[in-house]
Amino acid sequence: GEDVEQSLFLSVREGDSSVINCTYTDSSSTYLYWYKQEPGAGLQLLTYIFSNMDMKQDQRLTVLLNKKDKHLSLRIADTQTGDSAIYFCAEIPGAGSYQLTFGKGTKLSVIP
Amino acid sequence: EAGVTQFPSHSVIEKGQTVTLRCDPISGHDNLYWYRRVMGKEIKFLLHFVKESKQDESGMPNNRFLAERTGGTYSTLKVQPAELEDSGVYFCASSPNNNAQYFGPGTRLLVL
C-alpha cells in the first residue's frame, strides 16, 4: 500500500517546539520529504531524508526516521508565527517510481 | 534563479469547456511532474516527463486529460471537456534528478 497518514491539526505556542508526525506503509520507500504550504502559496520543499538515515538536522528543523515503525517526524525548534502553515509528509516508493505520495497535511497554528 | 511558474493562477470555467494549464519548470530541469489536489483529498500524482517523453502517466484520471511537453521545456495540461469533479489545485514540479521535486504555486481550477 502507499498510504501516508498525518494528524490534521496542531497548535503550539510561539517559542515552543512543534513535532509533526507521519506514518507510511511502503517499506521500500527510498526518500521521505517534508513540504510546507503557506496560505495561497505553492509547496515549499523543507527537507528530505534518505531511507538509510535516521536523523537529519537543518537549523531549526530536525527530521527523525524510524524505518522499523515506518514513522517520520518533523521537529521545529523555537516555533515562530511565520511557521504557521500546512506541512505535508511525502514519500517516494522504491522500484523505480518517482511519484510522490502525500499525506493530507498537518495544519500548524502558532499562538502568539 | 527563478522557480517553477504556472499560468494561470486561477481559472473558472463552465462544465464542458476546455482549459489549458501551463507550467514552466526551473531552467535545466529535465524532470517535470503534474499533480493535483481535489477538495478534501490528498495531493495526487498525474504524470512525469523526462525531457519531452512521458515517463509515467499512470496517474492521469481519464482521456479528457492531455499533457504535452514539446521541446522538453514548458508543459501544458489540457482538460477537455472539463467536468465538475476536475475542480481543484493543479501543481507542477520539476527536478534535476529524481530526489527533490520543486513545486510551483499551482493553478486553482473551478468548474461550474
Side-chain angles (χ1 to χ4, degrees):
Chain A
E2 297 180 0
D3 289 330
V4 176
E5 300 286 340
Q6 304 176 240
S7 53
L8 295 181
F9 301 98
L10 176 66
S11 289
V12 297
R13 293 206 172 273
E14 190 174 15
D16 288 351
S17 292
S18 308
V19 179
I20 303 171
N21 294 301
C22 169
T23 57
Y24 60 97
T25 56
D26 192 333
S27 58
S28 62
S29 293
T30 52
Y31 286 91
L32 295 122
Y33 301 81
W34 286 104
Y35 284 87
K36 174 184 180 183
Q37 186 181 29
E38 297 183 52
L43 297 169
Q44 175 194 353
L45 177 62
L46 281 181
T47 186
Y48 62 98
I49 188 167
F50 188 52
S51 58
N52 68 353
M53 299 168 64
D54 51 21
M55 187 181 90
K56 181 177 180 181
Q57 187 155 3
D58 183 2
Q59 299 182 332
R60 293 190 297 121
L61 305 179
T62 303
V63 178
L64 295 177
L65 174 61
N66 181 328
K67 198 171 181 184
K68 173 176 169 289
D69 294 337
K70 301 190 189 74
H71 182 266
L72 183 74
S73 67
L74 174 69
R75 179 178 181 269
I76 305 172
D78 186 25
T79 311
Q80 303 298 306
T81 55
D83 295 323
S84 293
I86 300 175
Y87 290 80
F88 292 92
C89 171
E91 63 166 356
I92 283 186
S97 170
Y98 304 110
Q99 304 179 16
L100 282 169
T101 299
F102 284 87
K104 285 189 175 181
T106 299
K107 183 173 183 179
L108 174 65
S109 299
V110 181
I111 306 162
Chain B
E1 180 184 277
V4 176
T5 58
Q6 293 187 245
F7 182 83
S9 59
H10 296 78
S11 180
V12 181
I13 61 172
E14 292 187 349
K15 176 183 170 181
Q17 289 185 321
T18 297
V19 63
T20 301
L21 314 180
R22 174 174 168 141
C23 169
D24 285 78
I26 294 171
S27 178
H29 284 193
D30 286 341
N31 295 278
L32 187 149
Y33 309 81
W34 285 98
Y35 292 81
R36 75 170 179 178
R37 187 180 194 192
V38 296
M39 187 67 71
K41 304 274 192 177
E42 295 89 344
I43 300 166
K44 291 287 193 184
F45 168 84
L46 296 178
L47 88 160
H48 170 204
F49 283 100
V50 177
K51 296 184 180 178
E52 68 274 12
S53 299
K54 291 177 185 173
Q55 180 81 6
D56 180 357
E57 52 184 328
S58 62
M60 294 287 264
N62 51 61
N63 60 9
R64 295 185 294 104
F65 289 75
L66 176 64
E68 294 180 323
R69 193 183 181 196
T70 307
T73 54
Y74 71 91
S75 174
T76 58
L77 179 65
K78 182 162 73 172
V79 185
Q80 179 183 31
E83 299 289 345
L84 300 179
E85 64 264 25
D86 300 331
S87 296
V89 183
Y90 289 76
F91 291 104
C92 175
S94 72
S95 71
N97 48 45
N98 287 308
N99 296 346
Q101 296 180 24
Y102 299 91
F103 280 73
T107 293
R108 283 145 185 83
L109 175 65
L110 179 60
V111 182
L112 301 175

